């Protein structure tokens, strides 16, 4: 990057000789280079095959792309015939495409990762060399049929696609396209416009939008884009959205580092405790005539039941669902503190509102795990509702007319995670859940159950973590399953769970040949001495007998996710194994206060984010591991994390100063009063003034306990982080200076919450810090990370 500045505050004390004597005094560049080979940009390239991401076609057929020892290959699957065959003759298509473009392409190094196959299976089309080509599958000829569609950009090694929103007119704001593909809405000057996708003609739909009170605007404080947020009706004639009122919302400011007068960035960023936060006035816009139907209700909070934005995914309005006839819209109103939920139905023609049901929580309500799980069933006059009222996330059937509970659909001490498909005709629903089967309680499985609660059935029997993708009509699904230790297997199953076609398997033989090994699954007891906690442990591939290794905790405390992340197979989890190769034991533990288990487990430290943060579990878990594995040196304990993990890292250094000796805190939200309103007010509660005059958030902040620092702490932050503004870290810096504490500070100019081009630099600095202060060795001077030129981080 153009500018890179390290602000180092104060020199650190020398590591005691007794600790340093156990390790080499110098770690060489060759040691770093060997460790770097365990980074994902190297290990990923040693795996062929992979998870299957289907491109569904008519008749439940689909194509997918995978990698083989030869390179990228495309296959087409026909469930009715039970076949998996090459999608086209790649050698001949490569030759025909080379002739058409004047460029040379290899059969298994084609310049595209996404294709479209004609219904008759005779033509394959794709983008290449900036144009769109159509070829016969036999590769006789490829024809240039127009401009590139830009579909398939972002497809990964396994062929997964993320098309995103189509570009707007003349490179303007992105379009939110109607279900029939004929129209796209976008924002201009705070108003909603529509564009005819065929002719390009534009027409203004709303006229009363003004600055900071605009239609469909996307601003959650931490996220702010120019995409139009809303939900199209099935008839492609109505667009459910809102007019977002930010006129009294406070601003956030950042300054870009450059030569000359700095550039000021400013946007609306509400904070916990603000008297005025962002509100939305719900509307339905008739796209044919521009009529705006305003809902007959007070403005709603800018909230949803599943994430800290009204659009949890892309440009789609969350917590809203149209009826099939496009006459009514069901939606959920969430209170500011996420404790009170109102499920409502709006008449699309009049804006009249009818309350269906209400649920209150003593702490926070969520409607599922990373997915809204309630479902609108106007055909049967019912609604499927998700609740953790039994302490476990379960599904319930309600009468739509009366709002009364009819019966539970699922019961038991396990967690329903995501409702993936609802078959109203057959009265069957399909969902993922965790904790019902023996083994790792975080493994996700697919189940089906009838609306009346009968017919409960497991559809993915293998003991592993399952990822499921249904065909559009629901008759088949692709099941990809793996564990942290076993590579992925993908099969096609029917809706009864029967395997129809084997699809693909990951081959990790080349990876294993390098000496790579998977992390070890671990189980420890929580602070109560009873509850099992699960995690992963990374050790050097060559443990030296009799040697003791420092232990490093890689933390993310929750509450919306945990330290471990996916239980599926991945070749690298950040730099955990690479760091271990330098001579550390690295652990990730999902402490109490993280999701996918009971509600009480997730809410374990509700209201006590700073004074708890899951740290009692992390400490006792590490101590248990040290007793179990003699090679762990518990007297040399370190910790690091990013974002919420950065918050927890500094918290650990301040509240457990005699246990954690070294910490690296990256981009931490150290004070929830300085982070966007929805996060803190959901997990911490409202920030209110206490009888003694202090605010309820004060004692949960890191700057309030920074005076306790004893060990070595490196604080890092991007200077234009518009998710967690850098003032979060500077508040801690200010407190550390006030108490005359030594620490290190790295401010990275002009980077956001992720460090972008400075990511490798930050990784190297992290390694240096642990090597120097936790291991007691000397790191190589300014080692340069070297991702391959053609690797994911080298492109």
């Amino acid at each position: 990057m153009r500018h890179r500045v390290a602000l180092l505050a104060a020199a650190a004390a020398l590591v005691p000789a007794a600790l340093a004597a156990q390790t080499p005094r110098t770690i060489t560049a060759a040691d770093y280079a060997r460790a770097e080979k365990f980074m994902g940009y190297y290990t990923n390239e040693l795996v062929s095959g992979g998870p299957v991401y289907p491109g569904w076609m008519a008749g439940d057929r689909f194509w997918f792309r995978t990698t083989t020892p030869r390179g990228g290959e495309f296959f087409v699957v026909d469930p009715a015939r039970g076949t998996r065959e090459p999608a086209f003759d790649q050698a001949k298509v490569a030759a025909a495409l080379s002739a058409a473009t004047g460029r040379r392409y290899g059969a298994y190094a084609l310049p595209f990762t996404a294709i479209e196959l004609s219904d008759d299976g005779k033509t394959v089309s794709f983008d290449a060399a900036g144009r769109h080509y159509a070829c016969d599958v036999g590769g006789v000829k490829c024809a240039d049929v127009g401009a590139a569609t830009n579909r398939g950009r972002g497809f990964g090694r396994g062929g997964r696609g993320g098309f995103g929103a189509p570009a707007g007119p003349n490179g303007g704001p992105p379009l939110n396209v109607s279900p029939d593909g004929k129209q796209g809405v976008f924002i201009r000057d705070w108003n909603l416009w529509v564009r005819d996708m065929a002719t390009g003609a534009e027409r203004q739909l709303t006229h009363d939008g003004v600055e900071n009170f605009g239609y469909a605007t996307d601003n959650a404080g931490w996220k702010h884009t120019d995409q139009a947020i809303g939900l199209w009706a099935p008839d492609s004639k109505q667009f459910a959205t809102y007019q977002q009122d930010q006129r009294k919302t406070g601003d956030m400011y950042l300054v870009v580092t450059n030569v000359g007068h700095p550039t000021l960035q400013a946007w609306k960023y509400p904070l916990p405790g603000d008297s005025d936060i962002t509100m939305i006035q719900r509307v339905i816009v008739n796209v044919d005539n521009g009529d705006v139907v305003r809902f007959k209700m007070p403005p709603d909070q800018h909230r949803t039941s599943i994430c800290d934005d009204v659009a949890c995914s892309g440009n789609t309005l969350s917590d809203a669902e149209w009826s099939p006839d496009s006459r009514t819209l069901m939606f959920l109103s969430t209170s500011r503190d996420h404790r009170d939920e109102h499920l409502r139905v709006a008449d699309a023609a009049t804006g009249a509102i009818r309350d269906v049901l209400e649920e209150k929580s003593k702490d926070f309500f969520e409607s599922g795990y990373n997915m809204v799980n309630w479902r609108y069933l106007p055909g049967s006059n019912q609604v499927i509702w998700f609740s953790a009222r039994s302490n476990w996330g379960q599904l319930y059937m309600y009468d739509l007319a009366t709002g009364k509970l009819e019966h539970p659909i699922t019961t038991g001490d396990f967690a329903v995670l995501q409702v993936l498909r609802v078959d109203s005709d057959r009265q069957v629903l399909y969902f993922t859940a965790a904790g019902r089967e023996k083994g790792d309680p975080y493994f996700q499985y697919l189940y089906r159950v009838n609306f009346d609660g009968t017919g409960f059935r497991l559809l993915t029997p293998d003991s592993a973590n399952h990822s499921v993708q249904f065909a559009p009509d629901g008759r088949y699904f692709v099941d990809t399953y793996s564990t942290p230790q076993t590579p992925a297997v993908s099969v096609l199953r029917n809706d009864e769970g029967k395997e129809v076609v084997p699809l693909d398997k990951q081959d990790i033989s080349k990876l294993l040949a390098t000496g790579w090994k998977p992390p070890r699954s671990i189980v420890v007891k929580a602070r109560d001495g009873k509850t099992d906690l699960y995690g992963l442990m990374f050790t050097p591939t060559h443990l030296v007998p009799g040697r003791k290794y420092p232990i490093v905790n890689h933390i993310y405390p929750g509450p919306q996710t945990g330290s471990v992340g996916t239980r599926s197979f991945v070749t690298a989890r950040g730099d955990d194994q690479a760091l271990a190769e330098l001579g550390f034991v690295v652990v990730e533990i999902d402490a109490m206060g993280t999701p996918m288990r009971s509600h009480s487990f997730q809410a374990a430290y509700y209201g006590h984010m700073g004074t708890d943060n899951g740290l009692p579990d992390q400490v006792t878990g590490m101590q248990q591991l040290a007793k179990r594995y003699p090679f762990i040196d518990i007297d040399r304990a370190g910790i690091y994390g990013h974002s919420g993990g950065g918050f927890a890292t500094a918290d650990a250094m301040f509240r457990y100063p005699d246990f954690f000796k070294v910490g690296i805190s990256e981009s931490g939200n150290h004070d929830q009063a300085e982070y966007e309103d929805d996060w803190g007010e959901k997990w911490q509660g409202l920030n209110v003034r206490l009888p003694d005059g202090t605010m309820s958030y004060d004692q949960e902040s890191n700057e309030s306990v920074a005076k306790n620092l004893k060990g070595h702490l490196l604080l890092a932050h991007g200077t234009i982080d518009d998710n967690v503004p850098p003032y979060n870290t500077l508040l801690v810096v200010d407190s550390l200076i006030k108490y005359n504490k030594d620490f290190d500070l790295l401010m990275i100019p002009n980077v956001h919450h992720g460090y972008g081009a400075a990511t490798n630099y930050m990784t190297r600095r992290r390694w240096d810090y642990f090597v120097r202060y936790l291991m007691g060795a000397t790191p190589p001077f300014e080692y340069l990370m070297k991702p391959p030129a053609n690797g994911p981080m080298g492109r």
Side-chain angles (χ1 to χ4, degrees):
M1 54 190 300
R2 291 181 56 197
H3 309 286
R4 190 151 54 196
V5 176
L7 304 178
L8 297 177
L14 294 175
V15 174
L19 299 182
Q22 301 182 52
T23 57
R25 290 301 301 166
T26 300
I27 300 294
T28 67
D31 294 324
Y32 267 44
R34 181 180 178 279
E36 190 181 3
K37 292 298 183 181
F38 290 84
M39 296 292 287
Y41 47 75
Y42 281 109
T43 58
N44 289 341
E45 300 303 313
L46 299 174
V47 176
S48 61
V52 168
Y53 302 100
W56 296 103
M57 303 182 295
D60 291 323
R61 297 166 65 240
F62 64 91
W63 65 268
F64 71 93
R65 180 183 181 272
T66 187
T67 54
T68 70
R70 296 190 297 187
E73 297 195 44
F74 294 84
F75 293 92
V76 63
V77 178
D78 188 333
R81 296 170 51 217
T83 58
R84 170 191 182 273
E85 301 171 333
F88 52 91
D89 188 320
Q90 294 194 196
K92 291 184 178 179
V93 166
L97 181 63
S98 298
T101 62
R103 304 181 184 185
R104 187 174 181 178
Y105 299 111
Y108 304 103
L110 293 166
F112 51 86
T113 54
I115 62 173
E116 295 177 15
L117 285 170
S118 61
D119 289 343
D120 61 9
K122 295 181 179 181
T123 303
V124 58
S125 57
F126 46 80
D127 286 349
R131 303 292 294 172
H132 196 65
Y133 288 87
C135 313
D136 63 281
V137 295
V140 174
K141 184 179 181 181
C142 286
D144 182 336
V145 293
T149 63
N150 293 320
R151 295 177 181 171
R153 287 187 177 180
F155 272 64
R157 287 168 50 81
R160 187 175 188 179
F163 293 164
N170 301 317
L175 301 172
N176 192 323
V177 181
S178 60
D180 63 10
K182 295 181 179 180
Q183 302 179 97
V185 294
F186 64 96
I187 300 169
R188 178 180 291 158
D189 298 327
W190 305 96
N191 280 292
L192 203 62
W193 289 63
V194 63
R195 186 187 194 203
D196 186 292
M197 299 297 287
T199 67
E202 298 174 0
R203 177 166 46 88
Q204 188 170 351
L205 294 175
T206 67
H207 299 269
D208 59 338
V210 295
E211 185 176 7
N212 295 318
F213 190 32
Y215 285 90
T217 53
D218 184 28
N219 182 14
W222 68 275
K223 177 174 79 76
H224 43 110
T225 76
D226 56 1
Q227 60 187 354
I229 304 300
L231 185 65
W232 281 94
D235 63 7
S236 293
K237 296 181 179 180
Q238 301 170 94
F239 189 69
T241 185
Y242 50 79
Q243 191 172 6
Q244 182 166 240
D245 192 352
Q246 305 174 102
R247 290 172 293 182
K248 296 181 179 180
T249 301
D251 292 315
M252 183 58 67
Y253 303 97
L254 294 173
V255 177
V256 175
T257 301
N258 58 264
V259 176
H261 297 288
T263 301
L264 178 67
Q265 297 180 350
W267 75 102
K268 296 297 179 180
Y269 193 103
L271 294 171
D274 283 357
S275 57
D276 295 300
I277 63 170
T278 300
M279 305 292 288
I280 58 173
Q281 298 182 15
R282 297 183 183 271
V283 299
I284 291 175
V285 179
N286 188 308
V287 181
D288 285 345
N289 56 27
D291 286 347
V292 176
V293 177
R294 205 166 289 270
F295 288 12
K296 297 177 180 178
M297 58 177 287
D300 251 340
Q301 303 286 336
H302 185 283
R303 299 284 187 267
T304 60
S305 66
I306 203 65
C307 75
D308 44 358
D309 189 16
V310 291
C312 294
S313 178
N315 57 16
T316 300
L317 182 66
S318 298
D319 268 331
E321 189 174 346
W322 281 96
S323 61
D325 62 8
S326 302
R327 297 178 64 180
T328 55
L329 180 82
M330 179 167 274
F331 65 97
L332 194 62
S333 295
T334 299
S335 64
R336 178 169 178 171
D337 60 5
H338 286 266
R339 293 186 179 187
D340 195 5
E341 302 286 345
H342 290 266
L343 191 64
R344 295 166 165 150
V345 175
D347 186 302
T350 67
I353 302 297
R354 179 172 67 85
D355 282 352
V356 176
L357 64 89
E358 178 185 13
E359 179 156 340
K360 294 180 178 290
S361 173
K362 65 179 180 180
D363 35 53
F364 57 85
F365 176 89
E366 287 192 297
S367 66
Y369 175 67
N370 291 339
M371 179 182 287
V372 172
N373 276 340
W374 60 265
R375 292 293 186 274
Y376 187 21
L377 306 174
S380 60
N381 212 34
Q382 295 172 306
V383 60
I384 297 171
W385 183 247
F386 176 94
S387 172
R389 66 186 61 157
S390 70
N391 195 35
W392 294 92
Q394 299 293 343
L395 301 172
Y396 300 83
M397 186 66 78
Y398 275 80
D399 182 278
L400 189 58
T402 65
K404 301 296 183 181
L405 174 66
E406 292 185 354
H407 57 265
I409 302 173
T410 61
T411 58
D413 292 348
F414 64 92
V416 171
L417 300 177
Q418 297 182 343
V419 174
L420 298 186
R421 176 171 170 76
V422 176
D423 189 333
S424 297
D425 294 335
R426 294 193 298 160
Q427 302 278 288
V428 176
L429 62 87
Y430 300 82
F431 63 93
T432 58
R436 188 176 184 273
E437 311 305 319
K438 293 181 180 180
D440 192 322
Y442 291 91
F443 283 173
Q444 301 182 41
Y445 297 85
L446 180 71
Y447 301 87
R448 61 173 285 174
V449 66
N450 297 328
F451 282 6
D452 63 4
T454 64
F456 192 102
R457 183 186 305 173
L458 172 66
L459 301 181
T460 51
D462 299 272
S463 180
N465 194 52
H466 294 260
S467 175
V468 170
Q469 298 168 85
F470 271 95
D473 66 4
R475 294 173 56 197
Y476 300 94
F477 64 89
V478 172
D479 172 22
T480 296
Y481 57 92
S482 64
T483 74
Q485 293 79 29
T486 58
V489 175
S490 295
V491 300
L492 182 70
R493 300 183 187 274
N494 65 19
D495 58 4
E496 299 290 332
K498 180 181 178 181
E499 183 175 328
V500 178
V501 183
L503 299 175
D504 205 10
K505 292 183 179 181
Q506 279 186 316
D507 181 350
I508 63 170
S509 56
K510 289 183 179 179
L511 181 64
L512 293 173
T514 67
W516 177 95
K517 66 178 184 179
R520 186 178 319 193
S521 292
I522 54 175
V523 183
V524 296
K525 295 296 182 183
R527 66 191 77 176
D528 59 9
K530 299 177 181 179
T531 305
D532 284 338
L533 304 177
Y534 295 78
L536 297 175
M537 183 170 74
F538 305 79
T539 61
T541 52
H542 302 290
L543 283 168
V544 178
R547 184 176 180 183
K548 295 182 74 70
Y549 296 84
I551 183 171
V552 175
N553 188 308
H554 184 193
I555 189 171
Y556 194 94
Q560 89 288 6
T561 188
S563 297
V564 176
T566 181
R567 260 59 181 190
S568 295
F569 181 86
V570 292
T571 67
R573 295 172 182 265
D575 65 334
D576 289 340
Q577 186 59 45
L579 183 60
E581 290 302 311
L582 293 177
F584 299 93
V585 173
V586 182
V587 296
E588 296 177 341
I589 301 172
D590 281 341
M592 296 179 71
T594 55
M596 294 182 66
R597 296 178 69 174
S598 68
H599 182 80
S600 59
F601 187 95
Q602 185 180 11
Y605 63 80
Y606 173 81
H608 301 285
M609 295 188 73
T611 50
D612 191 302
N613 240 331
L615 292 173
D617 297 324
Q618 302 290 349
V619 172
T620 186
M622 295 168 71
Q623 290 171 334
Q624 292 169 52
L625 291 172
K627 292 179 180 179
R628 192 180 306 168
Y629 301 102
F631 53 79
I632 292 177
D633 185 351
I634 198 63
D635 292 327
R636 291 187 289 169
I639 187 169
Y640 78 104
H642 187 91
S643 193
F647 167 39
T649 293
D651 201 22
M653 295 295 293
F654 302 152
R655 297 186 192 270
Y656 295 85
D658 294 318
F659 181 80
F660 290 105
K661 306 302 193 298
V662 179
I664 301 170
S665 170
E666 303 173 15
S667 303
N669 50 317
H670 298 284
D671 188 335
Q672 306 320 310
E674 188 64 16
Y675 187 45
E676 60 97 359
D677 64 323
D678 191 57
W679 171 263
E681 292 182 344
K682 179 177 182 178
W683 306 116
Q684 180 69 31
L686 298 180
N687 191 16
V688 297
R689 190 166 298 280
L690 302 176
D692 64 1
T694 63
M695 300 300 291
S696 57
Y697 279 29
D698 289 353
Q699 66 177 342
E700 307 299 328
S701 69
N702 278 344
E703 69 264 25
S704 69
V705 287
K707 62 184 178 182
N708 298 330
L709 178 66
K710 292 183 179 180
H712 296 277
L713 174 63
L714 170 60
L715 297 163
H717 219 117
T719 63
I720 56 170
D721 186 339
D722 55 354
N723 181 339
V724 180
Y727 315 116
N728 279 265
T729 288
L730 294 179
L731 286 168
V732 176
V733 168
D734 187 53
S735 184
L736 289 167
I737 293 173
K738 175 182 176 182
Y739 290 106
N740 195 35
K741 293 294 180 178
D742 287 353
F743 63 97
D744 294 299
L745 176 64
L746 173 60
M747 300 298 288
I748 309 176
N750 299 334
V751 300
H752 294 271
H753 197 53
Y755 295 155
T759 299
N760 292 334
Y761 177 77
M762 184 68 234
T763 301
R764 191 268 291 177
R765 291 296 304 274
R766 185 188 310 128
W767 294 3
D768 287 355
Y769 209 75
F770 282 132
V771 166
R772 179 175 288 115
Y773 296 120
L774 196 61
M775 181 182 288
T778 301
F781 180 68
E782 294 184 352
Y783 177 82
L784 179 64
M785 307 290 282
K786 307 176 188 68
N790 62 344
M793 298 192 63
R795 293 187 180 125

